């Protein structure tokens, strides 16, 4: 085999190397090139279009997902970096709730935390990443957590009110679950 052909065959092997991860709690085998961005894998290969495509340089937060519970810009994450990871997209947030929507999503609806809605999936995942790790964040911590998410049309008043409401609802849900668990059968 000619040297260039050998190199081409080796490159094809790399391109085909499977990558195993979990997306929204479902085990997935990705067959994308190792350098393909997770944002494109989600939208083009898996049809998970709730993750939005915008700046593609890590500035706007529209493409935010959770990687092992931590908010990350999926436009900056390459396929090989997903190996063995648990990824949550906006499609994986709602099914975890009996109501069909998560408390954070309901709070954004109630408080008008969106207008066109393009930034909203990324916002919700950043808020989820924050509250899963810290159920009672300070105003400063909320601002810090949302500093990588840009909204062009709502203004941040409604978004901040939505986060505060979500904090209250999530605390109430936790308390209700605890009471249910502790009740004698
Ligand atoms: S599209 Fe990823 S940060 Fe803007
Ligand atoms: S609601 Fe339109 S960009 Fe945020």
């Amino acid at each position: 085999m000619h040297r260039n052909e050998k190199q081409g065959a080796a490159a094809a092997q790399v391109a085909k190397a499977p990558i195993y991860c979990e997306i929204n709690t479902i085990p997935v085998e990705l067959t994308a090139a190792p350098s393909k961005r997770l944002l494109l894998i989600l939208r083009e290969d898996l049809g998970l279009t709730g993750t939005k495509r915008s700046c593609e340089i890590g500035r706007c937060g529209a493409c935010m997902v959770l990687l092992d519970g931590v908010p990350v810009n999926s436009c900056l994450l390459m396929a090989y970096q997903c190996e063995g990871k648990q990824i949550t997209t906006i499609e994986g947030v709602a099914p975890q709730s009996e109501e069909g929507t998560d408390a954070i999503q309901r709070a954004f609806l109630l408080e008008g935390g969106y207008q066109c809605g393009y930034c909203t999936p990324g916002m919700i995942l950043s808020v989820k990443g924050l509250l899963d790790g810290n159920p009672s964040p300070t105003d400063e911590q909320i601002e810090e957590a949302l500093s990588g998410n840009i909204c062009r049309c709502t203004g941040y008043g409604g978004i901040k009110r939505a986060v505060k409401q979500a904090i209250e609802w999530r605390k109430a849900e936790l308390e209700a679950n605890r009471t249910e668990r502790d009740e004698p059968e």
Side-chain angles (χ1 to χ4, degrees):
M1 196 186 280
H2 189 274
R3 191 164 163 232
N4 285 350
E5 285 174 340
K6 275 189 190 163
Q7 284 174 341
Q13 281 304 318
V14 172
K16 283 181 191 161
I19 293 155
Y20 299 97
C21 59
E22 263 186 28
I23 299 182
N24 300 331
T25 72
I26 298 168
V28 175
E29 179 184 333
L30 303 176
T31 50
S35 62
K36 186 165 181 177
R37 306 300 160 135
L38 178 63
L39 170 63
L40 300 182
I41 295 172
L42 293 171
R43 291 183 58 85
E44 294 174 355
D45 302 347
L46 303 176
L48 296 172
T49 54
T51 304
K52 299 303 179 200
R53 183 177 185 177
S54 186
C55 71
E56 295 190 75
I57 53 169
R59 292 268 172 84
C60 73
C63 66
M64 201 71 79
V65 298
L66 299 183
L67 186 78
D68 286 346
V70 178
V72 295
N73 290 313
S74 60
C75 68
L76 298 182
L77 200 71
M78 292 189 228
Y80 81 89
Q81 294 172 300
C82 300
E83 176 67 44
K85 302 290 186 187
Q86 293 186 337
I87 294 156
T88 305
T89 71
I90 191 68
E91 289 88 351
V93 170
Q96 293 165 13
S97 143
E98 282 177 13
E99 288 90 344
T101 49
D102 182 84
I104 303 168
Q105 291 171 305
R106 293 198 299 281
F108 269 73
L109 281 168
L110 179 77
E111 294 294 347
Y114 64 98
Q115 194 168 324
C116 76
Y118 203 80
C119 68
T120 313
M123 288 275 180
I124 284 170
L125 283 160
S126 288
V127 175
K128 180 171 168 53
L130 170 68
L131 301 188
D132 284 352
N134 177 6
S136 302
T138 62
D139 287 357
E140 247 178 30
Q141 289 168 329
I142 294 170
E143 279 179 24
E144 171 66 24
L146 290 179
S147 61
N149 295 82
I150 293 174
C151 178
R152 291 286 184 197
C153 50
T154 306
Y156 291 89
I159 292 168
K160 283 182 189 163
R161 285 198 307 275
V163 178
K164 294 277 175 84
Q165 182 61 71
I167 290 168
E168 294 312 311
W169 280 342
R170 282 169 62 107
K171 279 185 188 164
E173 279 175 6
L174 263 181
E175 190 53 41
N177 290 342
R178 199 173 293 139
T179 310
E180 206 174 288
R181 242 192 356 258
D182 294 346
E183 267 177 11
E185 300 201 355

